[in-house]
Amino acid sequence: MMDTRKAIVKRKTAETDISVELTLDGEGKSKIESGIGFFDHMLTLFSRHGFFDLNVKCDGDIYVDGHHSIEDIGIAMGDALAEALGDKAGITRYASFYVPMDEVLAFVAIDVSGRPFLVYDAPQMAPMIGGYDTELTEEFLRAFAFHAGLTLHVKVLYGTNSHHMVEAIFKALGHALHIATARDDEVKGVLSTKGVL
């Protein structure tokens, strides 16, 4: 029986108080309480489509706006992913995934490389979806990628509806990360000639 890949991260600043519990080999169950309804929906989708069990609780200064909460949740989730993966031995490492959602097509490519980088390319969106600032999609992805040690490329190839664009991104991220972090019996150690990721 393989070890459960799981992490619990708590992060408290003057702006946010966050707890994240992440299980990589889960069933896609989640309980998300960010204080921002649309963002809760996005993390629920990410969890379900990635088959990750994810609990997120954030008490943040959303009376200012959502920036601190969403960015700091990205930081905590990235830290949790890095901890849960450990030395990254035996994982697939690379993955990419397309998600169509009505008129939108989104693409995510991932390398669990230990070399954090984000490329984000999406059309201009409506400024707000409910209480969610669409500019914070990139901020979340950057915080998550840099703290998890991911090389992450995200592109919305086309689309017009902002809700569909953001939703397709989070679904594609879940699917791609599920594939990249999956255990592969053919991978002995880490998938790198360096011997470390």
Side-chain angles (χ1 to χ4, degrees):
M1 183 175 172
M2 293 187 176
D3 293 337
T4 301
R5 299 180 297 170
K6 182 175 180 178
I8 297 173
V9 168
K10 296 185 183 298
R11 185 175 195 274
K12 186 171 184 177
T13 71
E15 299 164 340
T16 59
D17 186 356
I18 296 169
S19 64
V20 169
E21 183 175 344
L22 173 67
T23 303
L24 293 182
D25 308 300
E27 299 175 2
K29 296 178 180 177
S30 61
K31 183 177 181 183
I32 313 295
E33 299 176 58
S34 71
I36 302 165
F38 182 78
F39 188 57
D40 289 357
H41 181 44
M42 294 303 100
L43 293 185
T44 300
L45 292 169
F46 165 78
S47 166
R48 182 70 186 101
H49 287 262
F51 303 94
F52 308 125
D53 291 343
L54 177 65
N55 294 328
V56 174
K57 178 78 170 73
C58 176
D59 181 12
D61 58 355
I62 55 174
Y63 63 89
V64 177
D65 67 6
H67 194 291
H68 299 143
S69 292
I70 290 173
E71 183 178 31
D72 287 5
I73 288 170
I75 290 170
M77 284 179 57
D79 288 343
L81 177 61
E83 183 180 331
L85 282 172
D87 64 4
K88 308 180 190 75
I91 66 166
T92 303
R93 179 177 169 178
Y94 296 98
S96 60
F97 207 86
Y98 285 93
V99 165
M101 184 164 181
D102 297 350
E103 86 294 353
V104 168
L105 184 63
F107 173 74
V108 169
I110 290 176
D111 176 10
V112 186
S113 61
R115 296 189 308 278
F117 202 87
L118 174 68
V119 176
Y120 179 79
D121 183 6
Q124 186 170 356
M125 300 183 195
M128 300 293 292
I129 304 171
Y132 177 80
D133 181 347
T134 56
E135 287 187 346
L136 297 180
T137 304
E138 183 174 2
E139 296 303 318
F140 168 80
L141 293 169
R142 180 175 294 108
F144 180 60
F146 273 67
H147 281 259
L150 306 176
T151 301
L152 177 60
H153 290 242
V154 176
K155 183 174 179 64
V156 176
L157 285 80
Y158 45 79
T160 56
N161 183 284
S162 300
H163 185 132
H164 294 166
M165 285 191 256
V166 179
E167 185 163 331
I169 287 169
F170 276 86
K171 286 178 175 177
L173 178 64
H175 278 282
L177 196 60
H178 173 66
I179 297 165
T181 59
R183 290 177 165 122
D184 185 337
D185 291 339
E186 294 183 351
V187 177
K188 308 304 179 189
V190 296
L191 190 56
S192 172
T193 55
K194 298 182 180 76
V196 65
L197 287 172

